[in-house]
Amino acid sequence: MTASSVSSPPEPPVVDDGPDDEGGWWSNSPGWAKGVLAGGLVLILLLVGGLVGALIGQRTAPTYGPAAGSVDVGFLQDMSVHHRQAIQMAVWERSNTTDPALRQLAFDIESSQTQQLGMMQGWLQLWDEPTETAPGQYMAWMGMPMAAMPGMATEADLQRFRASTGQGLDVEFLQLMLRHHEGGLHMMEMAAADASVSPVRALASSMVTTQKAEAQTMTQMLAARGAAPLPMN
Amino acid sequence: MASGRSTGTPQRGKGGRPPQRGKNPVAGARKRTSSAGRGAPKARQVPWLLIGAVVVVLALIGGIGFFLFDRSSQISPWRPSDSNRDPSLAIPGIVTQAYEGSHHVTPQQRVAYDRFPAFGGPHDGYWAACNGQIYPQAVRTENMVHSLEHGAVWIAYDPARVTGAARDALAARVQGQNQMVMSPFPGLDQPISLQSWGHQLKVSDPTDPRIDQFITSLKGNPYGVYPEVGASCDALGPGYFDPANPPAFDPPPYPRDALPMDYQGTSGAGGMGGAG
């Protein structure tokens, strides 16, 4: 392409192609142009090498994984915050209830969600993502950033719960935890369907199964104590 | 392989040689074209098109490089990473001190802390709830130091100087956030003092950007800037630590029998083990 422009006037331009030793465009070029071309080519080679190296380095670096804002990262960050509050309530209930059935349920929720929280935090750390959602940006990965996630207890809820004793404490716990489970369901179902990383989908879908079953148990335990579930917030 | 070289199927033999022979026709062709080109001696010409192509390729590479760099630089420089495990060390005015963790005292014992407020050293066996807890009252330091050991960032403020909107601005950073805790601290030498295990930053203005730098650098930092990664900030309740009724504030001066900073722990303190 270049040769045609250089040997423009009389030659049949199609034949005269490619770099040459003598008489071609190269030897016809002034010295500074040769310098510019040679320098430019060397620079291109160096930069391409550097870029390729950097890209390979990125792909094999210990940090990799779905991008910020993806279903996977958004779900893990949100569900970490969601799980943490469930654990917080379950820890209090296990330590303060006098009902063995409630103590067992609370311990079950606390231990399983603590284990799941550890998995979620570990993945986020491997992917070099923040381990929880920035305040006020909950559920942004679902296309609707919210100030709070559904089912989360408010500070007033928590204070009322902690101030209760006896069966009142158990009813508060069952009501808050039932609403908490049901509020997180939509997020878990979406992640179970749409997350890109298979272990994330598997974890989300096991949460769906577990929490649906626990919600059923808690609904029955509430009824047995003559109390009704809370409306979703 | 070896047989192919010694006896050689005819195909292989031919296949191996052509590169050498192939050169000649190409060279010949080149010579022909070049001699044709030499027919008319030309004036020196600048290969602008090629120079332009080199410039375009360089610009493309530069653009890709800038894009990659820009994307990586969007990550906050205060977020800890393997190559920058404690970004807080770059915050102007930060004070650090190495402390040993895990030395516990009983709810009746006191520690003669070396810093004000303390940010490390022996502490009560029960940690103060630090899961976004905003205490309206000052809390016993021995319990707060245990929260720091669990990775909490403690915002202490002087209730005489930080009130209203200024206090709300601090509370917004704590509310609902795990590993964040806030309490008034009467007698502070600065309006606001931030503590993480082994780290302290005193500021006078709740809008000071160093507050968020401190929090981003240290809260939940997984690289060992505090002793117990993953430890709980939740409260167990009355009889352990009750956030609605925390142990009373115990500022200096310290009594004569206060335990020294190198105290190795009381066996059985707080039910969480003594020195363990």
Side-chain angles (χ1 to χ4, degrees):
Chain A
M1 40 171 180
T2 37
S4 63
S5 74
V6 171
S7 58
S8 37
E11 312 304 330
V14 199
V15 196
D16 192 37
D17 220 323
D20 273 340
D21 24 301
E22 41 192 280
W25 61 268
W26 178 254
S27 47
N28 282 334
S29 302
W32 68 263
K34 287 180 185 170
V36 165
L37 283 175
L41 282 174
V42 166
L43 203 56
I44 287 175
L45 284 176
L46 283 175
L47 286 173
V48 165
L51 267 182
V52 168
L55 284 175
I56 289 175
Q58 268 193 352
R59 298 197 65 169
T60 55
T63 57
Y64 57 91
S70 62
V71 170
D72 304 69
V73 170
F75 169 71
L76 295 177
Q77 290 173 336
D78 277 357
M79 199 45 67
S80 292
V81 176
H82 212 262
H83 266 40
R84 254 201 196 101
Q85 193 184 57
I87 294 164
Q88 178 186 344
M89 294 191 289
V91 164
W92 187 278
E93 175 70 9
R94 175 173 61 77
S95 305
N96 295 284
T97 183
T98 50
D99 184 335
L102 262 298
R103 183 172 295 131
Q104 179 177 323
L105 173 71
F107 176 72
D108 196 9
I109 293 172
E110 174 196 337
S111 53
S112 61
Q113 296 211 11
T114 301
Q115 201 270 355
Q116 292 170 349
L117 177 64
M119 293 169 77
M120 297 193 286
Q121 298 281 286
W123 290 331
L124 289 169
Q125 276 177 22
L126 280 177
W127 303 341
D128 202 18
E129 295 293 341
T131 49
E132 55 197 45
T133 322
Q137 289 299 309
Y138 301 111
M139 300 168 80
W141 57 281
M142 301 171 85
M144 41 172 177
M146 312 261 282
M149 288 176 274
M152 291 287 282
T154 63
E155 191 51 39
D157 289 333
L158 292 172
Q159 281 179 10
R160 196 180 62 242
F161 163 58
R162 290 195 299 252
S164 313
T165 53
Q167 183 160 312
L169 176 77
D170 297 341
V171 167
E172 287 282 354
F173 173 75
L174 290 168
Q175 286 176 328
L176 292 175
M177 190 60 82
L178 178 58
R179 189 180 65 180
H180 201 270
H181 272 37
E182 288 171 341
L185 205 54
H186 186 40
M187 286 189 272
M188 297 167 196
E189 284 170 343
M190 185 162 167
D194 295 342
S196 66
V197 176
S198 163
V200 176
R201 286 197 304 275
L203 178 64
S205 106
S206 86
M207 286 177 190
V208 171
T209 313
T210 311
Q211 298 206 10
K212 272 185 174 166
E214 282 173 356
Q216 209 172 353
T217 307
M218 288 190 283
T219 308
Q220 289 162 359
M221 290 172 92
L222 267 179
R225 285 159 182 78
L230 298 175
M232 182 51 60
N233 56 352
Chain B
M1 286 308 221
S3 70
R5 197 183 43 166
S6 57
T7 58
T9 61
Q11 281 183 339
R12 273 203 183 172
K14 270 182 188 171
R17 301 256 155 125
Q20 296 173 334
R21 247 178 226 167
K23 252 189 164 176
N24 293 336
V26 173
R30 267 197 198 151
K31 260 178 192 160
R32 248 179 284 132
T33 58
S34 66
S35 62
R38 197 169 31 169
K42 300 169 236 163
R44 306 224 123 185
Q45 291 202 25
V46 180
W48 286 116
L49 206 57
L50 201 55
I51 290 177
V54 166
V55 169
V56 168
V57 171
L58 277 174
L60 271 176
I61 295 176
I64 294 171
F66 176 78
F67 172 75
L68 290 177
F69 175 79
D70 189 53
R71 206 174 51 166
S72 70
S73 67
Q74 278 172 4
I75 295 170
S76 162
W78 302 104
R79 242 182 69 198
S81 64
D82 189 41
S83 56
N84 187 11
R85 296 176 162 225
D86 187 355
S88 78
L89 299 179
I91 301 174
I94 194 155
V95 175
T96 61
Q97 164 88 44
Y99 293 109
E100 265 182 39
S102 302
H103 301 315
H104 291 173
V105 305
T106 69
Q108 291 75 38
Q109 291 175 319
R110 293 192 62 185
V111 179
Y113 285 113
D114 57 344
R115 301 284 184 165
F116 183 80
F119 55 90
H123 47 264
D124 194 285
Y126 298 115
W127 60 92
C130 46
N131 44 16
Q133 205 62 230
I134 299 168
Y135 294 97
Q137 71 278 62
V139 178
R140 180 164 169 264
T141 299
E142 280 79 356
N143 301 84
M144 294 300 256
V145 171
H146 196 160
S147 305
L148 301 183
E149 189 194 38
H150 286 201
V153 169
W154 169 26
I155 301 182
Y157 64 96
D158 179 359
R161 285 184 284 181
V162 179
T163 56
R167 185 189 171 280
D168 292 347
L170 294 177
R173 295 173 164 103
V174 177
Q175 183 71 57
Q177 297 295 303
N178 189 47
Q179 292 181 305
M180 289 298 298
V181 59
M182 173 167 152
S183 70
F185 200 97
L188 261 186
D189 53 342
Q190 285 282 316
I192 299 163
S193 182
L194 303 166
Q195 283 74 230
S196 167
W197 183 270
H199 299 72
Q200 186 168 58
L201 177 70
K202 294 188 175 178
V203 300
S204 54
D205 181 354
T207 63
D208 193 316
R210 291 176 298 164
I211 296 177
D212 289 326
Q213 294 168 3
F214 186 92
I215 295 170
T216 306
S217 300
L218 296 165
K219 179 175 92 89
N221 183 316
Y223 296 106
V225 295
Y226 51 87
E228 298 186 2
V229 173
S232 177
C233 263
D234 293 335
L236 298 178
Y240 311 95
F241 181 94
D242 182 2
N245 186 24
F249 187 49
D250 58 349
Y254 299 111
R256 204 173 285 259
D257 63 348
L259 301 163
M261 285 301 288
D262 59 359
Y263 184 65
Q264 292 297 298
T266 301
S267 170
M272 297 287 161

